Every structure is written in C-alpha cells, then in structure tokens.
Amino acid sequence: MARIGVFVCHCGENISATVDVKKVAEAASRIPGVAHSVEYKYMCSDPGQQMIRNAIREKNLTGVVVAACSPRMHEPTFRRACAEAGLNPFLCEMANIREHCSWVHEKSEATTHKAFDIVRTLVAKVKRNKALLPIKVPVTKTALVLGGGIAGIQASLDIANSGHKVILVEKEPSIGGHMSQLSETFPTLDCSQCILTPRMVEVAQHPNITLHSYSELESMDGFIGNFKVRIRKKARSLDEKLCTGCGLCVQKCPSKKISSEFDAGLGLRPAIYVPFPQAVPNKPVIDREHCTYYRTGKCRLCEKICPTQAIRFDQEDEIIEADIGAVVVATGFDIKHGDFFPEYGYGKYKDVIDGLQFERLASASGPTLGEIRRPSDGQVPQTVVFVACAGSRDPAKGIEYCSKICCMYTAKHAMLYKHKVHHGKPFVFYMDIRAGGKMYEEFVRRAMEEDGVQYIRSRVSRIYERGGKLVVKGADTLLGSRPLEIEADLVVLATAGVAQAGAEQLAQRLHVSFDAHKFYAEAHPKLRPVETNTAGIFLAGACQAPKDIPESVAQASGAAAKVAILFSQSELVREPLIAVVDRQAPPLYSSCVGCFLCQPSCPYQAIEKEEIRDRDGQLIKTIAKVNPGLCQGCGTCVALCRTKSIDIQGFSHEQVYAEVLALLNRGEDNV
Amino acid sequence: MSDFNPKIVAFVCNWCTYAGADLTGTSRMKYSPQVSIIRFPCTGRIDFMLLLKAFASGADGIIVSGCHPNDCHYSSGNFHARRRWIVFRSLLDFLGIDVRRVRFSWVSAAEGAKWAQLVNETAEQIRLLGPFKRYHQLRGLGVE
C-alpha cells in the first residue's frame, strides 16, 4: 500500500491568497493512499524542507507530492530534500498550484477545487512512480563558442585559461564583432580597438583555442557533455597556411568599389579584402559575389601576383566535425536598418545615418580617418541632431523594449562631435535618459554641462530636406510641447538593437528557445541568466538582450565559469527519464514484435536492434533496444509503438492514464 | 447552460507550452479555471488514445499544445504529434465527437498571453457545445 505525503505550500500569500490551502491539505488527506497531508507557509524554505524530510522518516513515506510552484522552478529542490531523507528523488512530484492555479484565477471555490484536482492528479501519478537511478555519462572537455565578438572572445579566453580546449567559430572573416567597429567607448572614452585588438591577438595565439573564422555552425546533435557539431568553414578562396597576409592582392585587386561592411557602408573595399587592418586572422577572403573572376571568368590578378601562390579559386566549403561538451552562444546583435523609418528619411537622405555609421565616421581607422564629414558631400556638419530611441520603446514599430545602449552612445557621439568640431552644435532628441551604470550618469552630465550638448525632451515626428538642410521636427515636452524645428546638416539615428538575422535558425539548430524578439531566452531571468533551458548551452552578450560592453564581458565570464564547472567533473549525472523496451521472462522475452517503426521516429538514433538468442546461440527474436546514453526522453517512440512495448520512465502509460482518470475524478483513487 | 462548468484537459509539452503556461502565471494573467494541465515531455509522447480515455472519463474538451514547428526541444516530436492529430481528427466524426471539442495548438515558452487566450477561447467554445455526454451511457458496459 502506498504511503504518500502531500505538502501544500502557501508560498507566502502567492498561493494562499486565492486558494484555501487548509481545505486542499485536508481534502488530500482523504485520498486513499495518502498517509500524511500538511500545509506550510514556505515549503521551499529550510524548515519546510525539514518537514518533508522528517515526515519521510517518521511516516515511512513511499512518495511525496509538493503542491507549490512550477516543477520547472523547484522540482530539483524538493527531489534533493527527499533524497536527503533516503527517499528516491524520482518518487517526488510537484503539483503546480501557483503558476497554473493561484496566479491565474480569482479567489473562489473553483480555484480551490482546481488546486485539489491538481494535487489528486499528482498523487495518482506518484503512486505509480518508480525508484530510478541516475545515468552517468562522460564529458568531452572541449567548449564551442559561437561568435567572436567581445563576449565570445572573453568567454573563449576564460575557458581556455582554465585549461580546457575551445573551438571559436566566427561567421565573418575576422573576429572582433561590433566592438571592433566602434570609435571610442563610454564612459571612459578609451579607444575601442586599443582595448580589443590585444584580446583578439591573444585568442589567435592561445594554445587552447582553435579559431574558425568565416565559418558557421551547420548542425548540432547530442546532449550536454556529448554534443557532436558540424562546422561549415566557408571557402576563403585561398590557402590559409600559405598566405602570409602581405596584402599585395588587396592592393592590386582591380574591383575596388565595393561597399565595406566594416565601415557600415560608408567606405569602399576591394573584392579580395581583409575587413580591417587589425583583423584576426589577418588573411584576406575573396568576395565571390563581386570578384571579377567569379563574375566573368577573367582576371586572376591576385593569383598571378601572390608571392606564395596561396590563391585557390576552386576551393570549396569544408565541413569540420568536432566533439563538444558545452556551447557558449555569443552571436551578438544587430541594429535596425533600411526602410524601418520612412518618416525619418533613413535610406533616402544620405546624411541621415545610424549610430554604427557615426562610429565609423568618428573612428581614426574609419573612411574619413576620424574627421566628422557628412556622407553626401564630405563637408563638416555645423549642426548635428542625434535621435535617441529611434525605434526602441515604440510599440507602433513592434519594439517595446529599451535598447539600453543608445542613451550612452548618443551622449558619447555628441561629445565626440563636439571634441572634433569645436564650434559645432549638437542636439539630442530623447524620451528619457537611462544612464544606469558606474560613471554613466556623470558621463551624460559632462556631455550636457562641459560640452554644451543641447538635450531636447521630444520625439521626432518627421525629418525632411529643405534647401540642402535636414529639417528635424519635434515638440519640446518640457516647454509645454512647443513645436520646434531644427535645421541640421547631419542626423544620427540611435536605431533599435535587434537580434541577428539568423538568430531563429541558429536557435533551432541548437534547440534553445528565444523570446518574441528572437533574443535567446535564459533559463531564469534572475537566477540563471547565462544558462539556456537546454543543458550545456550557455549565453553571453547581446544575443540574449541588448547589452553594453562591460555587461557582455561580465556575462561571458559567467558563461565561461559555468562551462568550467561542467568540465570540472569527469562524468555527468543525467536524469533517467528515458524510454525502455519491455523485457520479460521466456517464452515471450519481450512484447516487442520487432517492427522497428520506432527507429526512424527517434530524433537521436537511440533505438538499436537487439538479438535475443537461446543458450545454443539460436536467434529467437530481434527486438528494439534503447541506448540510454543517447535517449533524451522525448517519448515519441512510446506514443508510436503499436504493441505498447516501449514505455518512458517518469511519464509511463500507467502514470499518464492514472493522471487523466484522477483529474476527471474517475480513477479508483477518487474521493 | 450558464451553470455548466466544462471540464477541459490540456495535454502539453514540458518545454514550450508548460513553460508558456508558467509565464501566464508569472505575468498574473487571468483565465478560466476549468482547464487542468497534464505535463508530458513532448507532444510527441502524447498517445491520442489518451484523448479518447479523457472523453470517456468525463472530459468535455481537450487542448493539445506544444512547441511551434521547428522549435521542438527534441527537434521533431511536435511534427509527429501534428501528423497524429491529422489522422485522429478524421476519426473523431466516426467516434461521435465534435471536432471542435479538441483544440490543437502551438504555444511557446514566450507566449503566456496566447495560452490564456487559448484556454479562454476553448472554454467558451466548449460552453457553447455543452457537456459531452455521449460516452457516459457506455459506462458500466466495460467499454470505456
């Protein structure tokens, strides 16, 4: 006879405000098989867990149901408490009466009744739970870092310095990411490249780091500690081993008028190019779309002049396979481009640019060598308008969130402009100034007070051209919404930070979830900010949400620490919630008839064939067998099996049918 | 029909819809209390015989929901569920069950509001359809 303990939690008032917890505990005590039923203010607290441990020992419980929050929140907590009291942790279940009941319904009898229904359902399930032993799997101590921006660089260096191997994959020809494009960084105004490029070189030289630039993740299989990845190394059209990076080909290439991605479209580059002089690796790549040879079949000038004969026009993409134990996703962000702002003339007027383009104008390595000259005619602009929140915090544009970095970089832009054009007039249109961060508020104050940047609290309704000037229309909301117009020579839009274009496809390859804006979802917004819901995959930087450099670096180090923790164990313990094929005594041996319909349904190739032989070696039958190392416990084979010969531990047929019956008050256990 | 409180069983996957329903809770959105959730690892695990069992046991409506196509935690479980649903749907008429009593949907972990809406819509639909009694008379005949 089962001896189940039911522990109903008030969760402070989170549950007890709408659910009559006393009634639920009292009604649960009458369910056949329930030997103990109590309620308490905080079950997850230490005294709460102690109650459970004591009850297990004193009442000799065979199963525990904790009616509290979501199992996604505290199942590990309570299972651990049970294990400490000597009860197999898999004999503990949680009845979710908070997220699925008390928080979503008004205080009423129906709500209390539903809470009890949930408890009764889980009691019926837990009676059929079986004691399970965890599965141990080995760990491959190599990390894959996706993205070579500052977050990926930091994560790679930290993991590599803790003594583990790292494979760093960057889709662009060079690592560096957005940070390498920046001129100077807030709030210290130190030059971005000066602090970044030494790190890039460190990555290239680190004995524990293998860098695959101009590469992308093709596919990933497996599970925590045992991922198998395929990396597509795109054809650079040259032999990287032979190339010395002398740059002769880049100088001589005849097609030179290609818009430079690195200069955000403001500069030009040849068809064979290195994105920027400090690139790592400093080896060129041929842009096959624009190269004369690939377009017309003629030219091959670079091949002729290359001193080491490194050019390979016939090179093909290469697939590299690797075994990986953990993944850090640091694929970064993008900013909104294109026809997103027709009312601002963005894309129509050459002198309406975005923040990243201004960074290039202000950068000493940029197309104007650091002089602020507007793109249309190369003149130094006398009046510059900076528009903060261009797209951010704007539900009408579909972006409700704050892009976080724009307030600070706009202040920086205005400041840099003023430092370079002393007589110039910078205006900033803003909604609110969000300068939370060490020395951030002081920085914005400095822009206003020392550099005389004019801040106008207004949104911009329209930008249009009039007599060679860009008219910016707004209304000063601090002066009674007085309409105002400013004639500017250059307009800089702090466009919203958004997820990378391929974020969704990558998420699907990695099986990680993302939010409504395609930013990757962390496992818990407060307590597990660097983990994803997929074990062994961690997040760093702006792929999770817009972030500035210090935050990205901090999160990258956090993710690296998580990887190091994982790699500090020689084997991992996995939950045994996996499928098993029925085995029984002769003469049947197994109810499996060997149709193997389950085999193609398994996404993990975990189903193998097993031959059952008698003692003379005569084949009796061939049946399915689940490889416990590969099975991830999705249960697709279970629902598919015609003879119901496969069952899944933790969600067995017996358990789920009992749940349905109990929920509908039709089981043998009903009150 | 105003005093009719439908019984709706929701079969959901652990990774998307269960988490989505958790989000509905953490966002404190309100929905109809007539639905109860049963957690599965994946919609691919859901044996559609369970739906019949639920109807036979007194359910008036059923929700099946998991990850959106291509977002399955196990990469393909939700496609198996969808295929099964397509076949099962054509069987419902034969079984004497109004197809509107079963709601097949995708709710991701980020769609707390969608979950509340789905439940409310389904509850409303089932309220209009009334109680499902067809199988009750079979009880005691050993058929259920």
Side-chain angles (χ1 to χ4, degrees), chain A residues 135 223 574 578-579 581 604-608 624-632:
Chain A
I135 299 168
F223 52 93
R574 269 185 55 216
I578 56 162
V581 179
Y604 304 100
Q605 287 81 48
I607 298 177
E608 298 162 356
K625 181 174 188 268
V626 177
N627 180 330
L630 295 175
C631 176
Q632 294 300 297

Side-chain angles (χ1 to χ4, degrees), chain A residues 263-285:
Chain A
D263 281 333
L266 294 180
L268 298 172
R269 62 159 174 86
I272 181 163
Y273 70 106
V274 180
F276 54 104
Q278 302 88 338
V280 168
N282 201 345
K283 309 262 163 104
V285 51

Side-chain angles (χ1 to χ4, degrees), chain A residues 382-435:
Chain A
Q382 303 305 311
T383 306
V384 180
V385 167
F386 297 91
V387 182
C389 292
S392 310
R393 302 178 64 198
D394 190 350
K397 293 273 184 203
I399 298 177
E400 303 89 355
Y401 58 85
C402 165
S403 295
K404 200 166 186 182
I405 53 175
C406 332
C407 282
M408 290 309 296
Y409 81 60
T410 298
K412 178 192 74 178
H413 285 173
M415 218 184 228
L416 289 178
Y417 167 66
K418 194 70 184 171
H419 292 177
K420 292 180 188 231
V421 185
H422 300 308
H423 58 276
K425 280 196 234 116
F427 293 89
V428 173
F429 281 72
Y430 71 101
M431 284 161 75
D432 298 294
I433 298 172
R434 298 189 163 174

Side-chain angles (χ1 to χ4, degrees), chain A residues 70-72 75 96 100 103-105 114 117 508 511 603-604 634 636 639 644 648 651 657 661 663 666, chain B residues 7 14 18 22 25 29-31 33 35 37 39 41 44-45 47 49 57 70-71 74-75 84 139 144:
Chain A
S70 170
R72 296 171 61 88
E75 195 177 69
N96 185 348
H100 291 181
W103 274 352
V104 287
H105 308 314
K114 174 171 169 180
D117 278 349
Q508 287 163 357
H511 307 305
Y604 304 100
C634 67
T636 302
K644 297 273 174 278
I648 176 166
F651 296 94
Y657 275 92
L661 290 176
L663 178 61
R666 295 274 304 140
Chain B
K7 268 257 175 206
N14 178 45
Y18 196 90
D22 277 359
M29 294 170 196
K30 303 285 181 231
Y31 61 79
V35 69
I37 293 171
R39 180 164 76 129
R45 163 67 185 89
D47 178 354
M49 281 303 286
S57 310
N70 290 323
D71 295 346
Y74 304 103
S75 67
R84 236 169 264 156
R139 280 186 196 159
E144 47 178 296

Side-chain angles (χ1 to χ4, degrees), chain A residues 2 34 46 66 203 235 270 278 347 354 362 527 550 556 581 646:
Chain A
V34 171
D46 202 43
V66 185
V203 166
Q278 302 88 338
D354 60 47
L527 301 179
V581 179
I646 308 189

